[in-house]
Amino acid sequence: LIDILHPKASEVPQTPGEYELTEVTSIPDHSDPENERPDMGVLDCRPNAKGQREEDALLENASQSNESDDTSTDQSPVPPAPLKETSFSIGLQVLFPFLLAGFGTVAAGMVLDIVQHWTVFTEVTEVFILVPALLGLKGNLEMTLASRLSTAANIGQMDTAKDMWKMIMGNLALIQVQATVVGFLASIAAVIFGWIPEGNFKMGHAILLCASSVATAFIASLLLGLIMIGVIIASRKVGINPDNVATPIAASLGDLITLALLAGISTGLYKELEFNDYANPMVCAFFVALTPIWVLIARRTPSTREVLYSGWEPVIIAMAISSVGGLILDKTVSNPNFAGMAVFTPVINGVGGNLVAVQASRISTYLHMNALPIAEPDPAPRKCPTPWSSFFGSGVNSRSAKVLFLLVAPGHLVFLYTINSMQGGHTTLTSLFIAFYLAAALLQVVILLYLADWMVNWMWRRGMNPDNFSIPYLTALGDLLGTGFLALCFHILWLIGDRDTDVGD
């Protein structure tokens, strides 16, 4: 046993302090300060220390979702891979999915720019309130799904076909439950936000919003969930870190699919409203009636069962935050002077949400692989990070934050040029407009990346899995900040005289 363990002990000094849960398997040198801290919190995670430990570790691995027996039986180099990434490798892996996701948001903006003039959007303006809330589902559900599965793949919980399919079925059922409930609650929020300022309530419009929201959320989540699962499995097979590619690709088609479904479904149901009073209630009742089936499937998997019972708070609060952004969009776009804002809203919201989701997913995976177990007492608790430490620290997460921030301005310039070359929107791209737009986008992403560093570590210390809790909050805040800053830009530009002759056509 000593001969088997000895080579591994000789490898430890080459990578001191990189990932603690694996580093203490042999404890080669007690004088090394890096070995003292993990020795306190993860003593039972040493399956190779004694023969008795192997049996204990197997029992623990069967009951705990954040451990894997592969550390003792499979000397795979996969776990430390994310920690050895350079800035160049991070940027190279993120760049293509980032551009793909960005072009997806550009397409969604072009669609929103067109459908804002459709009858259902002009007659039932509360549909605009649904837009950020339903587009935010990719952050609340699909990106959270991608982050959960990426972490599971990185720590070895999807190595066997049986474990993989069990994880996939449980997570698909879970997001269908969440999509149905969030779609229903988003329609209620849209009705309330639309009714309070005007004091005008129409039952037919309320049922139309409910049916459109629930149907759109259900279908879009199913399609995007399947796409996410395929991306993560493919990433693992070709040796790419799923954290870098899964969350942006979730948004590459997410906004476009969701917005196209919302416009098509709401238009069809609005036409039915004139001839058939029962169509909208039946559509809403059908999707709600499927919920118990998805609940039963989701309960079979331990990890999704936990989220099914405790994961509602971030999803619902995030939906409410996005709905406030939707109210800003509704009141701004409804003004003909600011109709040009519609085409840029999905772009600025999508880019910010994509980048912060990548960062949150990376930090979460880093904590799962390096830190003490969730809610373990930390001998040296980390203080609240400063903006300087978040962006200019020596760690891998600071490096990725800088890389993601540097993608913002070039990315937005490419997306603005694409919109302009396709003659989309109602706004001429003057230098003054571009300057204000980029300032808003950079400020949005700086705030989001800093909040991600603080929020993920804060949640980890309090025993909450960041994969389930952080991304919904962060992407919803991205929607609110992006919509708010963009509306502010349009108002300021209008006040200082930068008024295009074609604004609002």
Side-chain angles (χ1 to χ4, degrees), residues 388-399 402:
W388 180 265
S389 65
S390 296
F391 289 94
F392 300 101
S394 58
V396 66
N397 293 325
S398 299
R399 223 167 28 240
K402 286 183 286 189

Side-chain angles (χ1 to χ4, degrees), residues 143-166:
M143 287 186 179
T144 304
L145 167 69
S147 182
R148 269 200 309 269
L149 293 182
S150 296
T151 299
N154 277 325
I155 64 178
Q157 291 182 350
M158 294 177 65
D159 288 349
T160 65
K162 181 180 178 181
D163 291 341
M164 181 179 69
W165 285 111
K166 185 177 181 181

Side-chain angles (χ1 to χ4, degrees), residues 71 73 85 122 190 196 214 240 261 267 277 327 331 351 454 471:
T71 56
T73 61
E85 293 173 313
T122 55
I196 289 177
V214 171
I240 296 176
L261 284 172
T267 298
D277 293 336
L327 181 61
K331 298 306 176 185
V351 169
W454 167 79
I471 292 181

Side-chain angles (χ1 to χ4, degrees), residues 61 112 115 135 186 216 227 275 289 326 368 398 455 491:
N61 293 340
L112 182 59
V115 302
L135 296 188
T216 300
I227 293 172
F275 308 105
H368 276 91
S398 299
M455 185 179 293
H491 280 86

Side-chain angles (χ1 to χ4, degrees), residues 92-116:
L92 195 62
Q93 290 187 28
V94 172
L95 180 61
F96 175 72
F98 168 72
L99 291 176
L100 182 62
F103 288 124
T105 61
V106 168
M110 301 284 287
V111 171
L112 182 59
D113 186 53
I114 295 171
V115 302
Q116 67 174 325

Side-chain angles (χ1 to χ4, degrees), residues 394-461:
S394 58
V396 66
N397 293 325
S398 299
R399 223 167 28 240
S400 62
K402 286 183 286 189
V403 171
L404 295 174
F405 176 76
L406 292 175
L407 290 174
V408 177
H412 272 297
L413 288 174
V414 171
F415 304 144
L416 290 176
Y417 175 77
T418 303
I419 292 172
N420 187 59
S421 62
M422 297 177 67
Q423 298 181 351
H426 304 73
T427 305
T428 302
L429 296 185
T430 64
S431 57
L432 190 60
F433 172 80
I434 294 175
F436 272 86
Y437 180 87
L438 290 180
L442 291 169
L443 182 60
Q444 174 208 30
V445 172
V446 164
I447 294 173
L448 290 176
L449 291 176
Y450 172 69
L451 288 176
D453 189 23
W454 167 79
M455 185 179 293
V456 172
N457 285 281
W458 180 84
M459 289 179 172
W460 181 271
R461 291 195 300 271

Side-chain angles (χ1 to χ4, degrees), residues 163-228:
D163 291 341
M164 181 179 69
W165 285 111
K166 185 177 181 181
M167 187 77 68
I168 287 172
M169 292 303 297
N171 278 280
L172 270 183
L174 173 67
I175 64 171
Q176 294 312 115
V177 176
Q178 292 178 321
T180 304
V181 174
V182 171
F184 182 76
L185 294 177
S187 65
I188 294 177
V191 170
I192 293 174
F193 285 146
W195 169 68
I196 289 177
E198 301 175 1
N200 186 17
F201 178 79
K202 294 182 180 179
M203 180 59 71
H205 288 179
I207 298 176
L208 168 67
L209 290 170
C210 178
S212 301
S213 181
V214 171
T216 300
F218 183 94
I219 298 172
S221 293
L222 180 60
L223 293 175
L224 293 171
L226 293 172
I227 293 172
M228 274 301 84

